[in-house]
């Protein structure tokens, strides 16, 4: 991939779009040498579409088909076609709540990233902040990783640490992790767009982890 | 337990004893309101015994019996007897390389702590720093936890985060984690000795996690 030009990013999301906003704003601010070329959602009413349109970014919903946790074959083919039409170099998942399968992974092999609200490999799967509270960890965080066939298991590009505090509820911890996500995701994608990140096997180089906000004194 | 008096700690270890040194020095410096009353090792030549004796702490080896990863029944009974004779309130494992079984766990129920070189529940078991490198995480650390029947699985009292750097080898990462251990273990035991820590189910309160050294700018 030629990193001397601006990269073209597509975002897939199902929710409010706070990570999409962080990524889009970082592109506008020049912190990511790239452009968000389209935002697609399986949820027509998802805030992420509105947030994108407010910023002049093309945004569209698509019909995911009859399944709850994956896309129907036809839907997957449609999304792949749209991403190719948009000439997306990378697909950034931002709160996209469906599993992507083989055809999609092959179409954008090593070019799909996700952000997960824990320090993987701890707490893969849903509601990772609640899992962290239930397990009683003192430190959790968030992880940007390459998406492959293993759910939440692809090579890790960047992580940020977030403390769990004594008074935390699921809501307060989730909110603290999300703040860290909004810093981590743009900074990893920025490093990627600069060509700083190289991957060899499971080990990626070129991004230095940081402790997040709120560790306090 | 009456925390208004100084707690009595026993340490079990199989190696060089760097965590035992950190704990003993923190007791001497008054950072832990307690005393190391004995140091026991299953390895007669282990540095931990010499380090303890240098500090005027009673230290002794015991015969672990014929097994590689656990203690023989008679050895376990002997160690329990010695710890009771020493009137140990808590048993601190510091690089002790054998699994403690039911009788020992019952004799010091909720009173055995261990330090593990990862952010549990990631990377339980041996060579956790190598596991972290192999998995490609950007942040690992260390964990002080209560020892129960689940290996490296008991309630977590404290954790410290440590970055994995691009050039890390097993040796450099292990060394960075150990430095963090030498800060974390005394500070968790100090909080325990002050009576700050309370445990409810899996969730302990009273110790605030910190990012470790070396995260850099």
């Amino acid at each position: 991939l030629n990193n001397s030009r601006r990269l073209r990013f597509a975002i897939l999301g199902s929710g409010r779009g706070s990570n999409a906003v962080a990524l889009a704003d970082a592109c506008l601010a020049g912190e990511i040498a790239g452009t968000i070329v389209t935002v697609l959602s399986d949820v027509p009413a998802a805030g992420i579409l509105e947030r994108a349109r407010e910023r002049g970014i093309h945004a569209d919903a698509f019909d995911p088909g009859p399944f709850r946790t994956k896309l129907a074959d036809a839907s997957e083919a449609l999304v792949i076609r749209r991403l190719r039409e948009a000439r997306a170099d990378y697909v950034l998942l931002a709160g996209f709540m469906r599993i992507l399968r083989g055809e999609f992974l092959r179409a954008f092999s090593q070019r799909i990233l996700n952000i997960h609200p824990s320090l993987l490999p701890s707490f893969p799967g849903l509601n990772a902040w609640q899992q962290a509270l239930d397990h009683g960890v003192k430190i959790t965080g968030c992880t940007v990783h390459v998406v492959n066939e293993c759910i939440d298991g692809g090579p890790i590009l960047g992580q940020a640490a977030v403390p769990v505090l004594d008074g935390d509820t699921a809501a307060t911890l989730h909110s603290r992790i999300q703040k860290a996500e909004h810093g981590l995701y743009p900074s990893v994608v920025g490093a990627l767009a600069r060509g700083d990140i190289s991957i060899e096997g499971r080990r990626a180089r070129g991004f230095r982890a940081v402790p997040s906000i709120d560790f306090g004194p």
Side-chain angles (χ1 to χ4, degrees), chain A:
Chain A
L1 193 70
N2 178 0
N3 279 329
S4 66
R5 63 171 175 83
R6 290 175 72 84
L7 288 178
R8 298 173 64 85
F9 297 102
I11 296 178
L12 297 191
S14 310
R16 294 185 303 133
S18 64
N19 273 307
V21 165
L23 290 164
D25 290 352
C27 287
L28 289 174
E31 292 154 20
I32 297 173
T35 310
I36 312 294
V37 293
T38 187
V39 172
L40 301 177
S41 179
D42 56 327
V43 178
I48 193 173
L49 295 173
E50 189 58 26
R51 296 291 84 70
R53 288 180 190 126
E54 285 167 4
R55 285 162 175 78
I57 297 168
H58 174 269
D60 221 347
F62 62 88
D63 177 4
F67 309 108
R68 228 166 39 86
T69 59
K70 62 177 185 175
L71 298 177
D73 287 347
S75 307
E76 198 158 78
L78 172 77
V79 173
I80 293 170
R81 195 162 65 241
R82 294 230 193 135
L83 295 174
R84 283 181 171 152
E85 284 166 4
R87 291 180 292 120
D89 297 307
Y90 281 85
V91 179
L92 307 177
L93 306 186
F96 186 64
M97 297 304 285
R98 291 168 189 269
I99 292 161
L100 297 174
R101 291 172 302 146
E103 198 188 343
F104 199 107
L105 300 179
R106 279 188 295 278
F108 292 90
S109 179
Q110 305 288 326
R111 306 292 191 86
I112 311 171
L113 307 189
N114 185 39
I115 188 158
H116 181 82
S118 76
L119 290 178
L120 290 170
S122 286
F123 315 127
L126 293 177
N127 299 324
W129 56 91
Q130 184 67 56
Q131 293 184 54
L133 273 183
D134 292 346
H135 196 85
V137 295
K138 297 290 176 179
I139 298 176
T140 183
C142 48
T143 301
V144 174
H145 65 93
V146 175
V147 175
N148 65 15
E149 313 72 35
C150 309
I151 293 177
D152 302 327
I156 290 169
L157 301 187
Q159 295 186 301
V162 172
V164 180
L165 304 183
D166 280 353
D168 267 338
T169 61
T172 60
L173 181 57
H174 188 198
S175 153
R176 189 176 311 116
I177 293 170
Q178 283 189 311
K179 273 194 224 168
E181 291 181 15
H182 303 160
L184 180 68
Y185 212 169
S187 82
V188 172
V189 172
L192 186 79
R194 282 193 304 276
D196 286 352
I197 292 182
S198 63
I199 305 180
E200 200 181 311
R202 279 204 63 84
R203 210 167 154 190
R205 288 180 169 79
F207 181 79
R208 179 149 185 184
V210 288
S212 177
I213 43 168
D214 287 334
F215 261 93

